[in-house]
Amino acid sequence: MTAIRTARERAREELTREIKQEARRQLASVGAQQLSLRAVSRELGMASSALYRYFPSRDELLTALIIDAYTELGDAADAALSGLGPDSSAREGWRALWQAARTWSLANPHEYGLVFGTPVPGYAAPRTTVEPAARFPIALLGVVSRATPAPAPSGPPLRGALPDQLTTVATQFAPNLPPQTLAPTVAAWIQLIGFLGFELHGHLVGSLEPADDFFAWTIEQTADTIGL
């Protein structure tokens, strides 16, 4: 019975993988808003009722694709950092993470759009997406937290609700970072996502395309702002 169950589990895993692969092809051809379980089942030669046993709704399939995308990006971060030497600096780690994010996004533009682009109408991401989504920004925060000597950023004072907001973020994700360092780090993460979106959607064509040199400059500019 154990052997039979294991074979069934392997078959289910393989078919689940095929379903998600076809769904990713649909992302590239029609976009997340038009993703259809019926279309996926048709392309795979499955009955719709059979596919529903794997993904009961389009939203559950979208969630699986989102988790996979965030996981791939997080894995890219881990690989980038593991490729550095033991004596590497925080600035080298910062560069490696930025380059890893760009490499992944250029290789997976539709998956990038799924997680960082226009929200899909009617879809609300469940909490199961939070942990994988946090992996890459936590890697950035970790690089800054481990910097020696400690970063000494320069910037405007933190006003209004911002200090309390940053304290909440620090408590959850970076307890060793003071608010004055956390603020430009979070801003740099947002800047990275915006840069990649501009590049992927062709907004740099005719001005800063190819964007390699501008991207490299932006890495150094954000590192300077943080105080790495």
Side-chain angles (χ1 to χ4, degrees):
M1 290 298 293
T2 301
I4 293 173
R5 260 197 318 273
T6 301
R8 287 175 176 171
E9 288 170 358
R10 285 201 295 265
R12 183 178 181 87
E13 289 173 1
E14 178 60 29
L15 188 49
T16 299
R17 185 160 46 247
E18 291 180 10
I19 292 169
K20 291 193 291 186
Q21 287 174 345
E22 176 55 36
R24 288 177 77 154
R25 285 192 285 270
Q26 285 200 22
L27 284 181
S29 61
V30 300
Q33 296 185 21
Q34 301 301 318
L35 182 64
S36 162
L37 290 181
R38 289 186 179 276
V40 171
S41 63
R42 183 171 60 248
E43 291 298 323
L44 293 177
M46 296 175 61
S48 298
S49 57
L51 190 145
Y52 289 139
R53 290 198 291 269
Y54 293 81
F55 296 100
S57 69
R58 181 211 64 166
D59 284 5
E60 292 202 24
L61 180 54
L62 273 177
T63 296
L65 297 179
I66 288 169
I67 289 174
D68 283 355
Y70 280 133
T71 298
E72 289 178 11
L73 182 57
D75 289 346
D78 291 345
L81 294 178
S82 65
L84 297 176
D87 298 325
S88 60
S89 67
R91 196 173 185 110
E92 289 172 317
W94 185 260
R95 291 178 186 137
L97 287 176
W98 274 61
Q99 293 289 359
R102 184 172 184 238
T103 298
W104 179 84
S105 67
L106 292 177
N108 301 277
H110 305 292
E111 288 75 9
Y112 173 92
L114 177 63
V115 295
F116 296 119
T118 304
V120 178
Y123 173 79
R127 289 201 59 80
T128 52
T129 62
V130 173
E131 183 175 347
R135 283 181 60 192
F136 195 94
I138 285 176
L140 288 173
L141 292 170
V143 163
V144 178
S145 296
R146 292 188 295 272
T148 303
S154 60
L158 308 177
R159 295 191 173 95
L162 184 56
D164 288 341
Q165 292 170 338
L166 291 169
T167 298
T168 300
V169 173
T171 300
Q172 292 179 305
F173 302 112
N176 296 327
L177 282 185
Q180 198 70 40
T181 302
L182 181 58
T185 305
V186 174
W189 163 241
I190 296 170
Q191 188 173 349
L192 170 60
I193 296 305
F195 189 111
L196 296 177
F198 254 62
E199 183 175 18
L200 289 173
H201 291 104
H203 297 306
L204 300 179
V205 174
S207 56
L208 296 168
E209 185 73 18
D212 303 54
D213 293 334
F214 185 41
F215 188 75
W217 179 90
T218 304
I219 294 174
E220 304 306 320
Q221 177 264 321
T222 53
D224 286 345
T225 300
I226 293 167
L228 296 179

